[in-house]
């Protein structure tokens, strides 16, 4: 579609707004503190002002035709309403799509940030040309977007993809969700830090394990050859591979794209995952599994938002999305 659109990556701390050209290049961007405490009207006004400022760079007669927004969940993507994302309390039950649509006079679509980043990778990044794909984001938490036959699989209550809180070890460490041995306790940034600190003291990790380093610093030590950090990253990668093997057996999807801050570890995380996935699935399934690093990094969310915006525009024009 030959239109400029805007993408909005709304986070608990900062918001990034991108201007996306018809060829899906991000040609301008603005960042500002979210400041959700000021309320939804303030957030919507500052997003709209950023879009208006970037529109001044467009050729004469051009304007932003639609807007896509991604936000931490839970979110009602049909109604365009944030529900109760814990990191954005000032926007609980905010009808952000309606507020932005009224302010800008264009279609607006909102979706969950992990699903949106997955759509970005599927359409413009590591998943291009795939029929189906699972995008797994490994950062402060662990989540997944399941894209089957080109469509996001949401489940009956839009909660499909809570990959981080599936169980790998029912006798494992206690997770923040109250269960034990969740995928997240093996590989999220905070848990990498806890596992490293506990291993230094010869103890089992717990949610209360004190840490001096964060997950990114543990990963950096592993890249420098620190033996203990390498062990922690290898264990994380192996856990990821086992979990992906389970997904592959259930979903019969071959392509798994790994994103998020922990994915910056690259092969330190992905090689062990690739080694383990065939061992924990049927050979006929595991030999087809491909585990790859994302291509778009943090731009995946903005480009996924652009895709959402274009779908919203198609709907207003009477086309099937």
């Amino acid at each position: 579609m030959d239109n400029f659109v805007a993408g909005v990556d709304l986070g608990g701390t900062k918001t990034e707004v991108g201007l996306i050209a018809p060829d899906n290049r991000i040609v301008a961007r603005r960042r500002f503190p979210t400041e959700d405490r000021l309320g939804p009207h303030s957030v919507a006004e500052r997003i709209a002002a950023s879009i208006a400022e970037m529109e001044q760079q467009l050729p004469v007669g051009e304007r932003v035709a639609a807007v896509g927004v991604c936000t931490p969940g839970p979110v009602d993507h049909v109604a365009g309403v944030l529900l109760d994302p814990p990191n954005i309390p000032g926007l609980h039950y905010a009808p952000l799509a309606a507020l932005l649509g009224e302010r800008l006079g264009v279609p607006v679509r909102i979706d969950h940030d992990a699903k949106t980043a997955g759509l970005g990778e599927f359409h413009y990044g590591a998943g291009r040309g795939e029929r189906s794909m699972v995008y797994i984001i490994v950062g402060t938490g662990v989540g997944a977007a399941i894209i089957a036959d080109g469509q996001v699989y949401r489940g009956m209550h839009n909660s499909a993809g809570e990959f981080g809180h599936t169980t790998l070890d029912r006798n494992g460490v206690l997770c923040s969700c109250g269960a034990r041995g969740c995928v997240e306790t093996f590989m999220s940034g905070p848990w990498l830090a806890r596992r490293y600190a506990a291993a230094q003291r010869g103890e089992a990790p717990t949610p209360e394990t004190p840490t001096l380093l964060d997950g990114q610093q543990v990963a950096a030590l592993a890249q420098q050859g620190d033996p203990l950090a390498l062990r922690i990253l290898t264990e994380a990668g192996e856990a990821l591979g086992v979990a992906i093997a389970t997904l592959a057996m259930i979903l019969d999807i071959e392509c798994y794209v790994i994103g998020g801050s922990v994915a910056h570890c690259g092969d330190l995380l992905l090689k062990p995952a690739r080694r383990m996935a065939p061992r924990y699935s049927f050979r006929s399934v595991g030999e087809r599994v491909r585990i790859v690093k994302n291509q778009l990094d943090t731009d995946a969310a903005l480009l996924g938002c652009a895709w959402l915006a274009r779908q919203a525009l198609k709907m207003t024009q009477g086309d099937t999305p």
Side-chain angles (χ1 to χ4, degrees), residues 262-277:
V262 176
H264 293 159
C265 301
D267 281 348
L268 289 178
L269 183 73
L270 301 187
K271 276 188 175 180
R274 294 175 185 133
R275 185 173 64 247
M276 299 304 284

Side-chain angles (χ1 to χ4, degrees), residues 11-139:
T13 302
K14 60 91 180 171
T15 293
E16 182 170 26
V17 182
L19 178 66
I20 294 97
D23 61 358
N24 297 305
R25 289 179 301 112
I26 301 172
V27 294
R29 62 179 84 209
R30 299 288 186 274
R31 289 185 181 181
F32 53 86
T34 300
E35 295 183 309
D36 60 289
R37 60 184 173 77
L38 299 178
H41 288 276
S42 172
V43 172
E45 183 62 33
R46 283 178 287 128
I47 290 171
S50 292
I51 292 172
E53 181 184 348
M54 290 188 292
E55 275 186 320
Q56 296 177 14
Q57 304 178 31
L58 297 180
V60 175
E62 292 280 359
R63 68 183 300 255
V64 166
V67 177
V69 182
C70 69
T71 172
V75 58
D76 183 338
H77 69 287
V78 176
V81 176
L82 281 73
L83 297 179
D84 52 353
N87 294 335
I88 320 179
L91 298 184
H92 283 192
Y93 303 101
L96 194 58
L99 291 175
L100 280 174
E102 291 167 6
R103 174 66 176 75
L104 295 168
V106 299
V108 179
R109 183 174 285 189
I110 292 180
D111 211 333
H112 187 280
D113 51 7
K115 291 181 174 67
T116 305
L119 286 167
E121 285 289 342
F122 181 74
H123 289 286
Y124 312 116
R128 279 177 300 175
E130 298 289 341
R131 177 178 169 183
S132 300
M133 181 195 92
V134 177
Y135 176 75
I136 298 172
I137 184 165
V138 186

